[in-house]
Amino acid sequence: MHKSVTIINSFPRTILYVVLAVLLVVTSISLWSSHKAAKAERHIRYVGILNKSDWYVRAKKSNDSFWSDPYYYYDGTNISGHYATFVKPVFDKSGRLACVCGADMTFEWLSKELGRIDKEIKQDALLNMYKIDDAEFYTVIINDDGSSIAYPEGKKVSLTSELTLKDLSEKKSGVVDMVVNGVPSTVYYGPIEYVDWFAAIVVT
């Protein structure tokens, strides 16, 4: 035991530090490699899930951009909400699918934008020059089933008449007199290009 201590004490300190440093680097590389391998495995599993997603499969088959159907996303954070996703397939020079890109839009954001646009129109002197009465209006976005997906707070609209639903199914514009939230109103609606939605102006 005493002899071993003597050997270590006589061993050059510089070489001892180098050996310790090498051991530390080797250990770090081993841990890093294990972490990267686990991360890569998780990534492969995640990509495998994405490749089977409805939006990915649809983009791959259609070779065209599209908006998803409205859906509700919840993860317990402040980004939970009602969404629609714009999906676009991207191809390389040879025409092969390179990737599928997507961008999310919340209907909460869209509702605020509609309110902002309505406010600007109501305050525009030129647009209101020929206004003949004190009628009020607001804008909503209607899905092709007649339900509202974006609207001012407390002003949800549902188009339920047979003739109106027929217009929606055929992507036609129209007008209908109806009671909206207890108020007699006239609703003008028309299709929005590239999506199964309609812009509707409710005049009260």
Side-chain angles (χ1 to χ4, degrees):
M1 181 69 178
H2 179 71
K3 185 176 181 180
S4 299
V5 172
T6 302
I7 293 174
I8 292 175
N9 288 337
S10 63
F11 202 73
R13 286 181 178 273
T14 302
I15 295 178
L16 186 61
Y17 290 153
V18 170
V19 171
L20 291 174
V22 170
L23 289 175
L24 180 61
V25 170
V26 170
T27 302
S28 299
I29 292 175
S30 177
L31 291 173
W32 177 81
S33 299
S34 298
H35 172 72
K36 292 292 288 183
K39 186 176 180 180
E41 184 179 353
R42 290 195 301 271
H43 177 71
I44 291 172
R45 289 200 300 268
Y46 182 64
V47 170
I49 293 172
L50 290 181
N51 288 349
K52 296 177 182 178
S53 300
D54 292 341
W55 55 267
Y56 181 90
V57 173
R58 178 178 170 184
K60 187 176 181 180
K61 288 182 177 179
S62 67
N63 294 335
D64 200 5
S65 305
F66 63 90
W67 281 94
S68 72
D69 292 330
Y71 61 92
Y72 185 77
Y73 173 79
Y74 177 79
D75 66 358
T77 69
N78 60 357
I79 68 170
S80 300
H82 296 87
Y83 282 81
T85 299
F86 181 76
V87 182
K88 180 177 179 60
V90 179
F91 302 90
D92 60 20
K93 292 182 179 180
S94 62
R96 293 178 302 181
L97 182 68
C99 65
V100 176
C101 302
D104 297 331
M105 175 188 70
T106 68
F107 290 115
E108 288 79 6
W109 172 84
L110 181 57
S111 295
K112 290 179 181 178
E113 283 298 293
L114 292 175
R116 181 185 63 79
I117 294 170
D118 285 348
K119 184 177 180 180
E120 289 183 359
I121 292 174
K122 292 174 182 179
Q123 294 176 346
D124 189 290
L126 181 61
L127 291 176
N128 288 276
M129 183 180 299
Y130 301 104
K131 188 176 180 181
I132 59 176
D133 54 35
D134 295 327
E136 288 294 323
F137 72 91
Y138 55 90
T139 307
V140 299
I141 301 299
I142 305 290
N143 204 2
D144 59 356
D145 62 359
S147 62
S148 296
I149 55 180
Y151 49 90
E153 186 175 355
K155 296 183 177 180
K156 189 174 183 178
V157 179
S158 295
L159 302 181
T160 58
S161 73
E162 185 176 343
L163 291 176
T164 302
L165 292 177
K166 185 174 184 296
D167 282 344
L168 299 185
S169 66
E170 297 175 355
K171 297 188 181 301
K172 292 182 178 179
S173 301
V175 58
V176 59
D177 291 318
M178 57 186 291
V179 176
V180 179
N181 300 314
V183 180
S185 308
T186 301
V187 181
Y188 302 85
Y189 55 88
I192 302 174
E193 195 172 7
Y194 302 120
V195 290
D196 295 328
W197 308 338
F198 291 73
I201 307 297
V202 182
V203 181
T204 59

